[in-house]
Amino acid sequence: MAAAAKRLLWVDDEIDLLRPHLLFMQGRGYHVDAASNGDDAIELVRLNGYDLVLLDEQMPGRTGMEVLDEIRRLDPRVPVVMITKSEEDRTMTEAIGRRVADYLVKPTSPRQVLSVVTRLLEGGQLQQQVTAREFTQRFREMLGDRNAVRGWRQWSETYSELVDWELRLRDAGETGLLASLETLLDDFRREFCQFVCEDYGHWTSGAADRPPLSVDVVPQYLAPLLGPDQKALFIIIDCLRLDQWRSLLPLLEPIAQVEEALYYSILPTATPFSRNAIFSGMYPDGLAERLPGWWGFEGEGSLNATEAELFREHVQRVAGRELPIHYEKIFDAGDGEQMLRRLPSHLSQPGVTALVFNFVDLLTHGRTESSVLLEVARDKEALRALTRQWFERSEAFTAIREAMARGIPVLLTTDHGSIHCHRPATVFAKRDTTANLRYKFGDDLRAEDPSLAFSTNDEKVLRFPAGRAATNYVIAREDVFFVYPTKLRQYQARYRGSFLHGGISPEEMILPVALLTPR
């Protein structure tokens, strides 16, 4: 059955002069009703459902703006295109403020009108068709390149493209193609994990060709902002995946120029290691030397208690001089409100203000413990949506707007991402083994399936300090989480489908670092 023609209402006191336009639109398959005054137009809207209204702004009797208000009352969702002879900014601003879908200035050609109507009524379908066609072509190319030899740059570029395709397919409503994309991502993730297992030890031992790592974030990306008398805002949003970051861009781009780069988190991809590495510029062995007693794995919170001190020393080394440093960690709205009260004073002084926001990490961990959070953050798409909703109303976004208003650059990044884990992997261990689900250290520790874990007994590969009792280090690959054979069913029921971090996957390791400058 053929789809019903889209219904248009064209309102203009000179409607007889627009007959060629009406016939042109009818010839393109649209049903077009016409009205020469506001009262008739309102009555037609009351009696009929329209897909779009073309409305003259200057008419005798009821003005276009008055008719617009009445149309909004009768049908708030119908798109209205305002057509006027006036090119004054005031008229355009008022129309946009009243939520018109578009704005045309007379004289208009039939093709101008068709272009606007097509974009508003058919744009989603056309976008879906184009996206599907482009993805199908690119999918075949990427499928053929699966076994290509890649360096770290190519892995970053490929993962970035896969993330963009997921967002594009979602936006276009092409959910049917997402299964093909997920299959490709599974293959990519498997090969990426193998690449990291083979090359990570070279990166940490000083290989010339290695990706920027957590230890490089401050010297490579923040240091260029630390000139004499310069001010900078440094924001870390804990546990932010690349796809979550990309979902925030539409909020940031209207107020800031955004320059994005990608870097790799060190292993394990967990806050005690990755975020400490950012703030200190040190691997765990350097931290253990700098902070005797730090190396203990008693809990993530205690292991990050010295970030402010480490960051101050790191910036001084990088800048070659002492700089004022302000550091705050924000866990909840109360912390955020207090931070915002202090922020104007901090930003008025030269130096660096560093802010750590823990909401996304708390959300990611909390969904495992809360059935409510599990329901609302069921998958990647839901997690992105929640992240965007939080960010839009967050103190982080407010702080960025404050910096942009003052002309102060912002460096925004994260310490690690997370991976949606679906597969349990059995490990055999003694009682001294650490409790983390994506990485474990302990004596006589091994994975039942070696292909699902990166295992080593050489602490130098991970740049861990020597002398610890643990002799084995096991880090999960892909989307697995570790379980013990004695608690297999308990762990499967509790953690299957959780977003976890600490392991090896592109979602956890390939991370955004973005420079925001005022528009």
Side-chain angles (χ1 to χ4, degrees), residues 71-178:
I71 290 174
R72 282 278 167 262
R73 189 182 67 80
L74 293 170
D75 189 349
R77 291 174 294 182
V78 64
V80 176
V81 177
M82 188 68 75
I83 304 176
T84 180
K85 295 176 181 177
S86 173
E87 297 188 47
E88 292 182 4
D89 290 343
R90 179 188 59 79
T91 305
M92 181 175 65
T93 301
E94 184 178 359
I96 293 173
R98 297 194 188 199
R99 295 180 295 122
V100 298
D102 211 331
Y103 186 92
L104 291 173
V105 177
K106 291 183 178 181
T108 59
S109 70
R111 289 200 172 275
Q112 269 184 297
V113 177
L114 176 65
S115 175
V116 170
V117 171
T118 302
R119 177 176 58 80
L120 293 174
L121 296 185
E122 320 291 342
Q125 182 180 353
L126 294 174
Q127 180 190 9
Q128 184 176 7
Q129 293 171 354
V130 170
T131 300
R133 184 171 63 250
E134 291 179 351
F135 174 74
T136 301
Q137 178 181 344
R138 186 67 183 118
F139 176 77
R140 287 195 292 264
E141 295 170 354
M142 289 190 288
L143 207 59
D145 291 340
R146 278 185 304 177
N147 298 321
V149 177
R150 292 183 175 91
W152 63 265
R153 294 178 185 83
Q154 290 73 38
W155 284 112
S156 296
E157 291 166 359
T158 303
Y159 177 59
S160 176
E161 182 179 2
L162 291 172
V163 167
D164 282 343
W165 274 120
E166 180 175 2
L167 297 178
R168 281 190 64 186
L169 291 172
R170 289 281 184 193
D171 287 345
E174 267 295 346
T175 54
L177 293 174
L178 286 172

Side-chain angles (χ1 to χ4, degrees), residues 297 432 441-443 457 459 467-473:
F297 307 108
D432 69 335
F441 314 142
D443 190 27
N457 58 8
E459 69 274 0
R468 180 172 163 79
T471 57
N472 295 88
Y473 307 89

Side-chain angles (χ1 to χ4, degrees), residues 165-325:
W165 274 120
E166 180 175 2
L167 297 178
R168 281 190 64 186
L169 291 172
R170 289 281 184 193
D171 287 345
E174 267 295 346
T175 54
L177 293 174
L178 286 172
S180 299
L181 180 65
E182 286 296 330
T183 299
L184 193 63
L185 182 56
D186 287 343
D187 292 341
F188 168 85
R189 187 185 298 117
R190 188 178 308 110
E191 296 300 321
F192 173 81
C193 291
Q194 184 61 35
F195 164 74
V196 171
C197 291
E198 293 173 357
D199 281 42
Y200 187 77
H202 300 299
W203 300 346
T204 56
S205 61
D209 184 23
R210 67 165 177 81
L213 298 171
S214 307
V215 293
D216 303 310
V217 169
V218 169
Q220 189 160 332
Y221 301 106
L222 183 62
L225 308 179
L226 304 181
D229 299 321
Q230 282 192 291
K231 307 163 188 174
L233 179 60
F234 183 35
I235 291 179
I236 293 181
I237 300 178
D238 198 342
C239 196
L240 188 72
R241 295 155 49 110
L242 182 59
D243 60 314
Q244 290 171 288
W245 154 249
R246 295 260 170 92
S247 73
L248 305 182
L249 285 175
L251 299 174
L252 291 167
E253 287 174 336
I255 64 169
Q257 298 279 359
V258 181
E259 298 178 43
E260 180 196 274
L262 300 176
Y263 84 94
Y264 282 53
S265 170
I266 66 167
L267 298 176
T269 50
T271 300
F273 311 102
S274 56
R275 203 167 79 202
N276 268 325
I278 291 174
F279 279 121
S280 69
M282 300 177 187
Y283 293 101
D285 55 0
L287 273 173
E289 184 177 345
R290 167 65 182 80
L291 301 171
W294 172 81
W295 187 244
F297 307 108
E298 290 83 359
E300 293 198 0
S302 61
L303 291 174
N304 288 85
T306 57
E307 287 177 345
E309 177 186 352
L310 293 169
F311 183 53
R312 186 172 289 106
E313 294 175 358
H314 191 193
V315 169
Q316 184 175 345
R317 290 196 307 271
V318 169
R321 66 188 191 285
E322 286 193 28
L323 285 174
I325 300 293

